[in-house]
Amino acid sequence: MLDKDSALVVFSGGQDSTTCLYWAKREFKKVYAITYTYGQKHSNEVDQAREIAQIAGVEWKLVDASFISSIISGCSLTDTSVEMDKEKPIDSPPNTFVPGRNLFFLSIAAVHARELGCMNLVTGVGQADYSGYPDCHDSFIRSLNVSLNLAMDEQFVIHTPLMWLNKCEIWSMADELGVFDLVRDKTLTCYNGIVGDGCGECPACKLRRRGLEQFLMKTRR
Ligand code: ZN
């Protein structure tokens, strides 16, 4: 029997999943976090994840999912020879898309959650701002939730608190949760591996900064 008061957060150490981690801490009695290595170029995101999990006081597990990078090519997050798409191509996801990433991450998380006796899974995916990634869409998450429950005969619930929020609203949520400064200073969202405000040039930095500027303007800071 899974515990409905506990949650496992898929946690990368970025802005979105850190906001989700603190959201989960507010919503559930017991919170765990799981972080993956998947052959990403910037493995220092793992260091940020470890540190934030420690600050948050949650049990943290690091899992090696680097088989993902061994079965794909052409992804600019895992292959140093591929130059990153600056804009999203019209007819396909940008080459920062890691095919199957959320499928594997959530499936592995569910198996581990079953081991922990944990009913709830939390992921920071969303389709408001960056719908170029099909595995961030609500329809995929709902479908996977059904499949995972069928696969293990369990009643997992996948929570996506950021699904319909834009970056400005995600900053606002971090602020409400009392972790605005922690998210701003300690998280790593930048595709070039620079912590906090990042390189300022990559698509992830631009998106993050635009949301931050909107939030700061709105709150007159
Ligand atoms: Zn950047």
Side-chain angles (χ1 to χ4, degrees):
M1 183 75 172
L2 299 175
D3 175 12
K4 64 177 176 28
D5 293 322
S6 68
L8 175 63
V9 181
V10 177
F11 182 55
S12 70
Q15 175 188 2
D16 296 344
S17 66
T18 301
T19 305
C20 283
L21 187 71
Y22 280 88
W23 177 86
K25 274 173 63 85
R26 187 184 70 188
E27 301 293 319
F28 302 101
K29 285 193 184 126
K30 176 80 185 164
V31 175
Y32 305 87
I34 186 166
T35 300
Y36 300 98
T37 54
Y38 59 95
Q40 65 268 56
K41 281 191 261 183
H42 301 292
S43 55
N44 59 339
E45 68 183 34
V46 171
D47 301 330
Q48 296 312 115
R50 181 188 291 111
E51 188 185 344
I52 295 165
Q54 198 172 29
I55 294 168
V58 302
E59 252 176 70
W60 181 72
K61 188 170 181 66
L62 181 64
V63 172
D64 179 3
S66 54
F67 66 89
I68 297 175
S69 63
S70 76
I71 55 173
I72 61 170
S73 62
C75 170
S76 62
L77 291 195
T78 55
D79 188 339
T80 43
S81 67
V82 178
E83 197 183 328
M84 191 187 308
D85 282 337
K86 295 270 185 278
E87 305 288 336
K88 181 188 170 321
I90 295 162
D91 52 355
S92 64
N95 67 13
T96 49
F97 175 55
V98 184
R101 182 168 54 174
N102 284 330
L103 173 69
F104 290 124
F105 284 7
L106 280 162
S107 300
I108 294 167
V111 174
H112 186 52
R114 185 175 182 278
E115 192 64 30
L116 295 168
C118 186
M119 181 187 276
N120 301 285
L121 296 166
V122 182
T123 170
V125 300
Q127 65 176 77
D129 255 335
Y130 213 45
S131 49
Y133 294 166
D135 61 350
C136 290
H137 285 195
D138 192 53
S139 52
F140 162 69
I141 299 294
R142 286 165 187 260
S143 155
L144 183 64
N145 200 155
V146 172
S147 295
L148 291 173
N149 289 349
L150 290 172
M152 284 177 273
D153 194 18
E154 296 288 0
Q155 293 298 317
F156 294 112
V157 181
I158 304 181
H159 300 265
T160 54
L162 312 184
M163 182 57 77
W164 309 106
L165 303 185
N166 61 34
K167 280 286 184 217
C168 174
E169 292 165 326
I170 297 170
W171 281 112
S172 176
M173 183 191 269
D175 195 42
E176 279 163 35
L177 291 164
V179 291
F180 174 82
D181 288 332
L182 177 120
V183 171
R184 184 163 184 189
D185 299 338
K186 296 276 184 203
T187 62
L188 195 161
T189 307
C190 173
Y191 289 148
N192 289 312
I194 300 169
V195 176
D197 287 343
C199 75
E201 295 298 319
C202 73
C205 277
K206 284 184 181 158
L207 195 65
R208 174 174 162 141
R209 184 195 284 174
R210 204 182 314 136
L212 179 62
E213 282 168 1
Q214 284 168 358
F215 171 74
L216 294 175
M217 193 122 82
K218 230 173 65 181
T219 54
R220 295 174 187 277
R221 295 196 188 180

